[in-house]
Amino acid sequence: MSKYVFGVDVGGTTVKLGYFDMEGDLKDKWEIPTRTENKGESIIPDIAGSILVKMKQEGIAKKDIAGVGLGVPGPVTDDGTVLMAANLGWNMYNPNKELGELLGVPVKTGNDANVAALGEMWKGGGQGHANMVAVTLGTGVGGGIILNGQIICGSNGAGGEIGHIHLNDEETESCGCGNTGCLEQYASATGIVRLAKKKLADSSKESVLRNEEVTAKSVWDAVKAGDELAKEIAEMYGKYLGKGLANVASVVNPEIFVIGGGVSKAGEVVIDYMKPYFDKYAFPGAKNAKFALATLGNDAGIYGSAKLVIG
Amino acid sequence: MSKYVFGVDVGGTTVKLGYFDMEGDLKDKWEIPTRTENKGESIIPDIAGSILVKMKQEGIAKKDIAGVGLGVPGPVTDDGTVLMAANLGWNMYNPNKELGELLGVPVKTGNDANVAALGEMWKGGGQGHANMVAVTLGTGVGGGIILNGQIICGSNGAGGEIGHIHLNDEETESCGCGNTGCLEQYASATGIVRLAKKKLADSSKESVLRNEEVTAKSVWDAVKAGDELAKEIAEMYGKYLGKGLANVASVVNPEIFVIGGGVSKAGEVVIDYMKPYFDKYAFPGAKNAKFALATLGNDAGIYGSAKLVIG
């Protein structure tokens, strides 16, 4: 009978590791640097070494370990094949075999955003829901879709790329993905700054935002302080996000959306500005979705990759 | 060892029935009227009776039957609960138990559009693909999403309602769902007629469509005949449909879209006008989806409900 499971969140700069008991209580977490040189060939051996050291320190035997889960920044198919992970230097590569051989335990790999979604479902804002969509409002807009408790990878690992729902035919600037008018161009941290700068240029209204650096945080702080122009920006933001999530709801009809990422640190106010537009645009049968904030922060990935192993 | 499986497609006017061997070869199909009076209380007994008669005629014993699948026009949850089926007179009702008791075999129920999608995956345009989206361009626009071979019902049976993806903020007319600007308002049979009438009113260009009744068929016939105004209408149609399906692809990343319903009888030309816009608006990692026409026509429902039983 296994006692522990390891969760690993592989980022471009650091690898976060943690281990849990089988109920999902985090026993310990730590980080190691991500060594991306030579096509990232050291990353998996480094992870194996770090886990072996921890096992020795804690007196954990191999037979006590259910397995190791990995979250990786790139498209990953159902069988754990990473199609590409540019930030790690990896081309197509399935880490399950190599890490499994180094440690002698089962390994499962998933996309980092999807795995974080699974973590939020297990122990975070989505607890108790088997059908959820995690939305990460960060530098970009990421998504993770869980249906019947299972991650939706899509046919080539692009399932849940909700940041690239097309919303605006009139957009002239390009999204990072190469398209124009994607949700991410408005709802990310850089998106709200773009919306704010446009609004500040188009309007002559006074605003505290004219006297300080415009960031996602400064915009939401101004909204909370009652700044009228900031509220107009939040209204635009809410409309794009609400429309995007409404379209997601009409496709997969989740019970709950769990909102995380840097922009969501502003709190419930983000949901408050989005919700009226979600209600307006979602298919009636899908309108009753709940909304919650993510609660695991940067630990969502280690929770979710551990859950990937537990199943 | 079971030899046969029955598939039943319950419509508001007729119930289509068929039976198949376990490889999915259709052995026979027939129809009975749908008696919707008294809240549709006769529908399930009528289906049971019709199946029992067929079994007697063909000398099929109960032990030879793997089960009966039902496709029903309304939202259906994973356990077969029909939340509502207005066209049948049903409120919340799970037919699995009643029909199972009448026949003494297992019964499984799904939403008709989802079940038809499963049929197309099994023996129609989507054969060989476990991740597909079926798109029905009929009076409305329906959808059925199959991921890893399983129907995506959503949390309350509204999964796959892709006809109600919001595409146009400027729309003033209401969709049947109560929202405005839904894909269905442009890409359905009535949608293309609306687009055509608007184009005919806005343009002074000559067109064969000025001399005949405008229907989905007459528009596509005119396109095929090289009518310039009809081609402009097809371009508008293709833009709406391509944009809608691109958003579906960014959410669930299917291997293939299978296009059916009355409008699709025009053939590959519908795909030809849609595809450039799909390519423009879909997330790059989801762009490589294939497109095919549905091939089972009105039989998709009986195939799919049979497949629901076989699993």
Side-chain angles (χ1 to χ4, degrees):
Chain A
M1 182 98 163
S2 300
K3 291 180 187 166
Y4 301 110
V5 56
F6 283 76
V8 183
D9 185 9
V10 188
T13 312
T14 59
V15 179
K16 297 185 183 67
L17 301 98
Y19 80 101
F20 301 82
D21 64 23
M22 300 304 282
E23 285 70 48
D25 283 327
L26 178 62
K27 309 308 284 183
D28 194 12
K29 62 173 180 173
W30 65 100
E31 294 184 3
I32 59 173
T34 308
R35 292 197 292 153
T36 56
E37 58 270 26
N38 295 323
K39 298 187 174 174
E41 65 179 19
S42 305
I43 296 173
I44 291 297
D46 283 353
I47 291 169
S50 182
I51 289 175
L52 289 169
V53 167
K54 183 63 64 175
M55 286 167 63
K56 189 163 182 189
Q57 284 170 350
E58 304 292 330
I60 299 172
K62 196 190 291 180
K63 68 173 174 49
D64 293 333
I65 298 176
V68 176
L70 284 187
V72 171
V76 181
T77 60
D78 275 322
D79 71 352
T81 303
V82 181
L83 299 180
M84 226 253 291
N87 292 341
L88 306 183
W90 292 358
N91 284 317
M92 199 189 296
Y93 169 57
N94 190 325
N96 293 359
K97 188 163 177 286
E98 185 180 354
L99 186 57
E101 284 175 2
L102 288 169
L103 292 172
V105 302
V107 175
K108 287 202 176 172
T109 302
N111 165 268
D112 56 356
N114 290 341
V115 157
L118 194 61
E120 287 290 341
M121 184 199 77
W122 192 32
K123 294 290 170 181
Q127 271 185 77
H129 299 281
N131 292 293
M132 68 163 262
V133 175
V135 183
T136 307
L137 306 171
T139 315
V141 172
I145 300 176
I146 315 276
L147 298 175
N148 299 327
Q150 303 296 313
I151 290 172
I152 299 303
C153 292
S155 65
N156 47 344
E161 285 287 358
I162 65 174
H164 303 283
I165 286 182
H166 175 81
L167 291 181
N168 184 4
D169 288 1
E170 313 302 323
E171 181 61 54
T172 52
E173 288 183 36
S174 284
C175 179
C177 79
N179 291 349
T180 53
C182 296
L183 172 61
E184 175 163 303
Q185 291 185 276
Y186 314 100
S188 63
T190 45
I192 193 167
V193 170
R194 282 180 70 228
L195 289 175
K197 290 192 171 160
K198 192 167 181 314
K199 193 72 178 175
L200 285 163
D202 292 351
S203 164
S204 55
K205 205 176 271 186
E206 266 315 296
S207 169
V208 296
L209 295 171
R210 295 195 190 277
N211 313 319
E212 58 184 35
E213 193 194 354
V214 177
T215 64
K217 184 172 187 310
S218 68
V219 173
W220 288 111
D221 284 348
V223 170
K224 290 177 195 171
D227 188 275
E228 287 302 321
L229 197 75
K231 288 203 261 184
E232 290 175 25
I233 296 162
E235 200 72 30
M236 289 164 67
Y237 182 89
K239 182 169 180 177
Y240 279 110
L241 183 58
K243 205 187 294 184
L245 299 187
N247 283 351
V248 175
S250 300
V251 178
V252 294
N253 180 207
E255 292 163 64
I256 190 166
F257 286 90
V258 177
I259 317 285
V263 179
S264 76
K265 287 185 184 159
E268 293 284 345
V269 66
V270 178
I271 297 176
D272 294 342
Y273 274 91
M274 173 277 301
K275 191 67 176 19
Y277 293 102
F278 177 84
D279 289 342
K280 178 172 180 183
Y281 294 119
F283 177 64
K287 273 191 211 297
N288 64 349
K290 295 182 184 75
F291 288 86
L293 294 171
T295 63
L296 298 178
N298 290 333
D299 289 344
I302 57 172
Y303 275 91
S305 47
K307 177 63 176 161
L308 203 58
V309 174
I310 292 180
Chain B
M1 183 94 166
S2 301
K3 292 181 184 165
Y4 302 110
V5 56
F6 284 76
V8 183
D9 184 10
V10 188
T13 312
T14 58
V15 179
K16 297 184 184 69
L17 302 98
Y19 80 99
F20 301 81
D21 64 23
M22 299 304 284
E23 284 70 49
D25 282 328
L26 178 62
K27 310 307 285 184
D28 194 11
K29 62 173 178 171
W30 67 100
E31 293 183 3
I32 60 173
T34 308
R35 293 198 292 151
T36 56
E37 58 270 23
N38 295 323
K39 297 186 174 174
E41 65 177 19
S42 305
I43 295 173
I44 290 298
D46 284 353
I47 289 169
S50 182
I51 289 176
L52 289 169
V53 167
K54 183 62 64 176
M55 286 167 64
K56 190 163 182 191
Q57 285 171 352
E58 304 292 332
I60 300 172
K62 197 191 292 181
K63 68 171 174 53
D64 293 334
I65 299 176
V68 176
L70 284 186
V72 170
V76 180
T77 60
D78 275 320
D79 71 352
T81 303
V82 182
L83 298 180
M84 227 255 288
N87 292 341
L88 306 182
W90 292 358
N91 285 315
M92 199 190 296
Y93 170 57
N94 190 323
N96 293 0
K97 186 162 178 285
E98 186 181 353
L99 187 58
E101 284 175 1
L102 289 168
L103 292 172
V105 301
V107 176
K108 287 202 176 172
T109 302
N111 164 267
D112 56 355
N114 290 342
V115 157
L118 195 60
E120 288 290 342
M121 184 200 76
W122 193 31
K123 293 291 171 181
Q127 272 185 75
H129 300 281
N131 291 295
M132 67 163 262
V133 174
V135 183
T136 308
L137 305 170
T139 315
V141 171
I145 301 176
I146 315 275
L147 298 177
N148 299 327
Q150 303 296 312
I151 290 172
I152 298 304
C153 293
S155 65
N156 48 343
E161 285 288 356
I162 65 174
H164 302 284
I165 285 182
H166 175 81
L167 292 181
N168 184 4
D169 288 0
E170 313 301 324
E171 181 60 55
T172 52
E173 288 184 37
S174 285
C175 179
C177 79
N179 292 349
T180 54
C182 296
L183 173 60
E184 174 164 305
Q185 292 185 275
Y186 314 99
S188 63
T190 46
I192 193 169
V193 170
R194 282 179 70 229
L195 289 175
K197 289 191 171 161
K198 191 165 181 317
K199 194 72 177 175
L200 286 162
D202 292 351
S203 163
S204 56
K205 205 175 269 185
E206 266 315 296
S207 169
V208 296
L209 294 171
R210 297 193 188 277
N211 313 318
E212 57 185 35
E213 192 194 354
V214 177
T215 64
K217 184 173 187 312
S218 68
V219 172
W220 289 112
D221 285 348
V223 171
K224 290 177 196 172
D227 186 276
E228 287 302 323
L229 197 73
K231 288 204 263 183
E232 291 175 22
I233 297 162
E235 201 72 29
M236 290 164 67
Y237 182 90
K239 182 170 181 178
Y240 279 110
L241 183 58
K243 206 187 294 183
L245 299 187
N247 283 350
V248 174
S250 299
V251 179
V252 294
N253 180 210
E255 291 165 62
I256 189 167
F257 286 90
V258 177
I259 316 284
V263 178
S264 76
K265 287 185 184 160
E268 294 283 345
V269 66
V270 178
I271 297 176
D272 294 342
Y273 274 91
M274 174 277 302
K275 191 65 175 22
Y277 293 101
F278 176 85
D279 289 343
K280 179 172 180 182
Y281 294 119
F283 177 66
K287 272 193 213 295
N288 65 348
K290 297 184 182 73
F291 288 86
L293 294 170
T295 62
L296 298 178
N298 290 333
D299 289 344
I302 56 173
Y303 275 91
S305 46
K307 178 64 175 161
L308 202 57
V309 173
I310 292 179

